[in-house]
Amino acid sequence: MTRLSPLIFALLTTLAQAQDIDHGRYLVTIMGCTDCHTPGHFLGQPDMARFLGGSDVGFEIPGLGTFHGPNLTPDPTGLGEWSEAEIATAIRTGVRPDGRQLAPAMPWMNYAALTDRDAADIAAFLKTLPPVANDVPGPFAPGEATDNFVLRVVPPAP
């Protein structure tokens, strides 16, 4: 059996990791993560310098409160303290490492069907982002005032 030299093995490993990260970038793009997690997106001017750095617009859900899409970058105000495994778990189960449920606007139920590889590749990609210091506001209790724009979910009239 032919053994790979350590240099060739390292090169192949690096190439495989780059492909995983590219796959994660692709999934983040087609899943629309930037919509809720990039500042300015809902105002028609996404701030790509703060890509996935947390929304400046909240979602108000009647009876539940107002929620802002959090910072997904590896900054401490975002996912900086989360492991890749914790990120992958939250994406697919809707549960944060501290046991809290993600905001109801997060469509984790749709993402529950992601493969292990898909979830791991998304987490690996998020860990490569430039850190953005942005501690998003909230969550806010029902009726609690916010200082930001809010998208309101309005139930149909009876």
Side-chain angles (χ1 to χ4, degrees):
M1 173 185 265
T2 306
R3 285 184 40 158
L4 292 176
S5 75
L7 180 61
I8 297 295
F9 181 77
L11 181 61
L12 291 173
T13 301
T14 300
L15 179 61
Q17 289 169 339
Q19 289 174 334
D20 293 345
I21 290 167
D22 284 345
H23 183 241
R25 177 183 296 111
Y26 165 76
L27 290 170
V28 163
T29 301
I30 66 167
M31 291 165 56
C33 300
T34 58
D35 298 0
C36 295
H37 296 278
T38 297
H41 175 82
F42 288 121
L43 301 174
Q45 298 178 344
D47 182 352
M48 298 313 282
R50 298 188 305 150
F51 180 69
L52 297 176
S55 184
D56 48 2
V57 175
F59 285 93
E60 181 184 343
I61 301 172
L64 296 177
T66 301
F67 308 88
H68 288 74
N71 181 348
L72 299 182
T73 72
D75 186 79
T77 61
L79 301 177
E81 304 300 320
W82 295 30
S83 71
E84 289 183 22
E86 290 170 329
I87 294 168
T89 297
I91 291 169
R92 295 195 315 182
T93 67
V95 179
R96 298 167 39 104
D98 62 9
R100 289 188 299 155
Q101 185 73 34
L102 295 177
M106 171 63 178
W108 68 265
M109 290 162 279
N110 297 338
Y111 305 153
L114 289 170
T115 66
D116 290 343
R117 177 182 174 220
D118 288 344
D121 290 355
I122 291 168
F125 168 66
L126 294 176
K127 285 293 197 175
T128 69
L129 294 172
V132 174
N134 183 23
D135 195 7
V136 300
F140 298 93
E144 186 177 356
T146 70
D147 291 337
N148 293 345
F149 283 100
V150 173
L151 296 173
R152 182 171 288 146
V153 176
V154 180

